[in-house]
Amino acid sequence: MEIERVEIGRPKEDIDEEDGRQREGTVWSATAHCITAVIGSGILALSWSVAQLGWILGPPVLLVFAAITYYTSTLLADCYRSPHPITGSRNRTYMAVVRSYLGPKDVFMCAIAQYANLWGAMISYTLTASISMMSVTRSNCYHERGQTAKCTTNGNLFMVMFGAAQIVLSQLPNMEKITWLSVMAATMSFAYSIISLCLCLFKWFSNHGDVQGTPFGIMASHAAGLSPALKTWNAFQALGNIAFAYTFAEVMIEIQDTLRSPPSENVIMKKANLYGIGTTTIFYLSIGCVGYAAFGNNTPGNILTGFYEPFWLVDLAHICIVIHLVGAYQVFAQPIFATIERNIVSKWPEATFINNVYTVRLPLTKGGCLSFNLSKLLIRSIFIVLTTLVSMLLPFFNAIMGLLGASSFWALTVYIPVTMCIVQRKIGRGSLRWIMLQSLSGFCFIASFLAAVGSVAGIIDSLKGAKPFHIEY
């Protein structure tokens, strides 16, 4: 007799398909999504962050936040199903998980933090991609006309181009259908990270292998032109940059919802988190430490801006950044699209404009066709156009992103997973584990608060020279 393995408490049909969706994700597709979500262009600022903290504090802080992120991600993975992590019902979104375990106040806080952070990341990616495209233009100009040439360019056209590409990609239906995009984006993130690392290694070797920098970095040095207050704000902002570099909890449940089972989704997701966070930590430490060893306390905010030659290699790194951000944008955008569209369908379930799917045959292909939905085309396009306009209106939004990142790290990555773990596992108040979990949450709250203070100082400084619809590089 042939016996099929079915998880206890779950019918066979629930393993492969549930609520009308076929889940095909694996540990490798989930790892690709995680790497795409975690590794962003912010990796290029980690050398600057290490420079603010120095050799004594910089690398340990990177490792501490990596450990915290991985641990809380395992807690969150167990909450995908409720009330039991294996036999419970699915929660398809981060908000649904919070709603199933916590009260309305926590749900409201989660909604504000999650969607503000997701949308903020989309705006930040639009800005960062345009800066990289401008860097390629400027690099080629310098190479042709010399370093003294005037090679400034405006980023509005590049933002429009980036937004247009996102409108096309946004018509992909859901997270399962963008695995190839995440794999490509993850590959690009490896590419520009490796290029940056090689450039830093070359500069370090050109300094005869002398390790630059000081034990406590810029905050304890006598750097010219920096007041003690500015050094303090920069150190706090560096703390926020490192914390934000590991933030991906707001899309983790959506990634987990793509996985097929058995084995259970929480087991697969924990492996993906380990592989994804472990891989990113290796890159973070490498670039952060080697970049600081090469430049010392003169480390630039974006490590690539410290290089002009070989211009083709620097250009290649910037192009890889743009391609990576094209994919990362969709990973962060898909949860917002899904939420908006679910709410619209629930309000007008019978509307033909919302539910009808149209198919167009593609010329010059054998049976090729393209399916689309008019409401999805309209809603997603309007949202991306709005995001692009805000990016053009607020060219200093990266400073605001630091503030959003500081608050969302504690709220989404630490506080909510810890609180749900206490509820799910019925951990008694005052017990040793309860005290340890609450201490972890308190430590991360203090770190996020300090990072927020540094980011506010950065916003105030950015406001002095900001011009709406004007970003030059």
Side-chain angles (χ1 to χ4, degrees), residues 95 98-99 102-113 415-416:
M95 283 290 297
V98 178
R99 191 176 291 110
L102 305 180
K105 290 183 179 179
D106 290 313
V107 172
F108 179 75
M109 182 184 74
C110 173
I112 297 298
Y415 170 75
I416 288 178

Side-chain angles (χ1 to χ4, degrees), residues 207-227:
N207 295 334
H208 307 291
D210 294 335
V211 176
Q212 305 295 312
T214 55
F216 291 98
I218 294 176
M219 66 177 180
S221 70
H222 301 286
L226 294 180
S227 65

Side-chain angles (χ1 to χ4, degrees), residues 238-452:
L239 198 66
N241 287 344
I242 293 173
F244 183 64
Y246 283 106
T247 300
F248 80 114
E250 62 268 33
V251 295
M252 200 199 88
I253 293 298
E254 281 79 358
I255 294 173
Q256 190 168 349
D257 191 51
T258 67
L259 299 176
R260 64 169 180 254
S261 60
S264 59
E265 298 89 356
N266 62 332
V267 172
I268 301 174
M269 197 65 213
K270 288 176 183 179
K271 289 183 180 179
N273 290 339
L274 177 62
Y275 300 153
I277 295 173
T279 302
T280 57
T281 301
I282 292 172
F283 276 97
Y284 284 0
L285 280 171
S286 299
I287 292 183
C289 294
V290 175
Y292 185 41
F295 288 93
N297 290 342
N298 295 318
T299 303
N302 181 332
I303 197 67
L304 278 177
T305 61
F307 303 97
Y308 293 101
E309 296 292 343
F311 84 99
W312 62 269
L313 188 60
V314 177
D315 285 356
L316 178 61
H318 283 296
I319 292 171
C320 290
I321 290 173
V322 174
I323 297 174
H324 170 253
L325 293 180
V326 167
Y329 187 104
Q330 286 300 315
V331 171
F332 281 81
Q334 288 292 333
I336 298 179
F337 295 153
T339 299
I340 294 174
E341 289 158 9
R342 276 197 301 270
N343 289 333
I344 291 176
V345 169
S346 65
K347 289 184 179 180
W348 298 284
E350 305 298 331
T352 57
F353 178 75
I354 296 172
N355 295 297
N356 281 7
V357 177
Y358 301 90
T359 301
V360 177
R361 293 188 177 276
L362 298 177
L364 305 178
T365 62
K366 293 182 179 181
C369 58
L370 174 67
S371 298
F372 65 95
N373 176 277
L374 288 177
S375 66
K376 184 179 295 184
L377 176 65
L378 181 64
I379 292 168
R380 296 189 179 192
S381 299
I382 290 175
F383 190 85
I384 291 174
V385 169
L386 175 63
T387 302
T388 305
L389 287 175
V390 172
S391 303
M392 297 165 66
L393 180 64
L394 303 175
F396 57 91
F397 200 84
N398 279 339
I400 298 178
M401 270 304 301
L403 179 61
L404 292 173
S407 59
S408 65
F409 175 79
W410 173 73
L412 299 178
T413 304
V414 181
Y415 170 75
I416 288 178
V418 163
T419 306
M420 291 193 299
C421 173
I422 292 173
V423 172
Q424 183 191 57
R425 303 181 186 182
K426 299 179 174 62
I427 300 174
R429 177 183 291 270
S431 64
L432 178 60
R433 189 168 189 185
W434 184 89
I435 293 173
M436 293 178 66
L437 288 171
Q438 295 293 0
S439 298
L440 173 64
S441 180
F443 167 78
C444 292
F445 173 78
I446 294 172
S448 294
F449 176 77
L450 294 177

Side-chain angles (χ1 to χ4, degrees), residues 32-326:
H33 287 316
C34 288
I35 293 174
T36 301
V38 177
I39 294 186
S41 57
I43 191 175
L44 303 175
L46 289 180
S47 295
W48 178 87
S49 299
V50 173
Q52 309 308 308
L53 302 174
W55 289 114
I56 300 296
L57 296 177
V61 167
L62 281 167
L63 291 173
V64 166
F65 278 102
I68 290 172
T69 303
Y70 173 68
Y71 176 68
T72 56
S73 71
T74 62
L75 302 182
L76 186 57
D78 285 337
C79 295
Y80 170 65
R81 288 184 177 269
S82 61
H84 191 274
I86 296 179
T87 61
S89 301
R90 293 182 190 271
N91 295 294
R92 296 179 56 186
T93 65
Y94 194 105
M95 283 290 297
V97 172
V98 178
R99 191 176 291 110
S100 66
Y101 283 100
L102 305 180
K105 290 183 179 179
D106 290 313
V107 172
F108 179 75
M109 182 184 74
C110 173
I112 297 298
Q114 182 186 14
Y115 292 111
N117 193 46
L118 288 171
W119 192 42
M122 294 167 64
I123 295 172
S124 177
Y125 288 169
T126 303
L127 283 167
T128 306
S130 68
I131 290 173
S132 287
M133 288 186 274
M134 285 189 289
S135 296
V136 172
T137 303
R138 189 182 69 163
S139 174
N140 292 334
C141 175
Y142 282 151
H143 184 72
E144 293 177 1
R145 303 180 185 178
Q147 296 291 329
T148 59
K150 185 178 180 181
C151 294
T152 57
T153 182
N154 193 285
N156 287 340
L157 174 62
F158 295 118
M159 289 189 193
V160 171
M161 293 168 57
F162 186 80
Q166 295 302 334
I167 289 176
V168 175
L169 291 173
S170 69
Q171 299 311 304
L172 295 171
N174 50 47
M175 290 284 283
E176 289 99 319
K177 302 303 181 182
I178 64 171
T179 296
W180 64 271
L181 191 61
S182 282
V183 171
M184 180 185 67
T187 303
M188 292 299 102
S189 67
F190 286 138
Y192 70 72
S193 298
I194 291 172
I195 292 172
S196 302
L197 180 59
C198 290
L199 290 171
C200 290
L201 282 170
F202 180 79
K203 181 173 178 59
W204 182 25
F205 293 150
S206 68
N207 295 334
H208 307 291
D210 294 335
V211 176
Q212 305 295 312
T214 55
F216 291 98
I218 294 176
M219 66 177 180
S221 70
H222 301 286
L226 294 180
S227 65
L230 184 57
K231 293 177 186 177
T232 302
W233 304 142
N234 286 345
F236 289 165
Q237 192 171 356
L239 198 66
N241 287 344
I242 293 173
F244 183 64
Y246 283 106
T247 300
F248 80 114
E250 62 268 33
V251 295
M252 200 199 88
I253 293 298
E254 281 79 358
I255 294 173
Q256 190 168 349
D257 191 51
T258 67
L259 299 176
R260 64 169 180 254
S261 60
S264 59
E265 298 89 356
N266 62 332
V267 172
I268 301 174
M269 197 65 213
K270 288 176 183 179
K271 289 183 180 179
N273 290 339
L274 177 62
Y275 300 153
I277 295 173
T279 302
T280 57
T281 301
I282 292 172
F283 276 97
Y284 284 0
L285 280 171
S286 299
I287 292 183
C289 294
V290 175
Y292 185 41
F295 288 93
N297 290 342
N298 295 318
T299 303
N302 181 332
I303 197 67
L304 278 177
T305 61
F307 303 97
Y308 293 101
E309 296 292 343
F311 84 99
W312 62 269
L313 188 60
V314 177
D315 285 356
L316 178 61
H318 283 296
I319 292 171
C320 290
I321 290 173
V322 174
I323 297 174
H324 170 253
L325 293 180
V326 167

